[in-house]
Amino acid sequence: GGGGAASCDPRGGGGGGGGVTPRGVDVARLGRPVSPRGWQWAFSPVGRGMIYGAGGQYPAGMALWCAKEAAAKSWGRGLLNHLNQVRVTRADWTAGRITVGWEPGAGQSAGTAKNVQGGTEIGMSQYQAEVRILMDDQYLTALAEKVDPFRPY
């Protein structure tokens, strides 16, 4: 994205045990160009296919990119040089919600896509985050919250 900050909500609520819920934010100016090589590096063919599922509701490629960066921040990883290993595991474009996962050392090719409630899911990861996408006429904002990857949907 075009910057962003990692933050934590000191009120807790969601991380279990009444502790802190790790959160991450990424903001990008709409229309920011990304090279075709950048898209190929950051997204598997399945991930690139999710871009077409947005149905014009969002600039989907930028939403997925920002979701990955915000999720990495929620995991305390900052900007990952391994963004290509962070997978968008589910996209519910109608609700503006994206689930992102990262299995350190795993490639993006793991998993098989399947439709799940109007989105797409690719399996489980060691790290997961739920991301909410917000947009105005100039910026797209991804707000991520780290979640337990073994919780039921």
Side-chain angles (χ1 to χ4, degrees):
S7 64
C8 292
D9 180 351
R11 295 167 290 163
V20 175
T21 301
R23 300 176 193 255
V25 177
D26 194 66
V27 179
R29 181 176 286 277
L30 293 175
R32 187 187 106 203
V34 177
S35 73
R37 186 175 173 180
W39 291 117
Q40 276 195 322
W41 171 78
F43 294 97
S44 70
V46 171
R48 289 191 300 274
M50 287 185 188
I51 292 170
Y52 301 107
Q57 295 179 49
Y58 299 95
M62 189 57 60
L64 295 178
W65 191 292
C66 288
K68 285 181 162 200
E69 289 194 5
K73 293 170 187 176
S74 77
W75 302 323
R77 308 301 295 183
L79 294 176
L80 286 174
N81 289 329
H82 307 293
L83 207 57
N84 61 332
Q85 295 177 4
V86 176
R87 299 178 304 176
V88 175
T89 58
R90 184 178 185 160
D92 181 344
W93 293 112
T94 303
R97 295 193 178 276
I98 298 170
T99 303
V100 180
W102 177 49
E103 186 86 34
Q108 256 205 327
S109 61
T112 303
K114 60 180 179 177
N115 285 328
V116 176
Q117 299 174 352
T120 303
E121 182 175 299
I122 306 180
M124 298 266 275
S125 297
Q126 180 177 342
Y127 293 88
Q128 281 195 346
E130 294 291 337
V131 184
R132 178 85 171 123
I133 302 297
L134 306 171
M135 191 173 69
D136 65 17
D137 60 339
Q138 294 184 25
Y139 296 96
L140 185 141
T141 303
L143 306 171
E145 181 175 311
K146 182 180 177 181
V147 296
D148 176 359
F150 301 105
R151 81 192 182 328
Y153 280 103

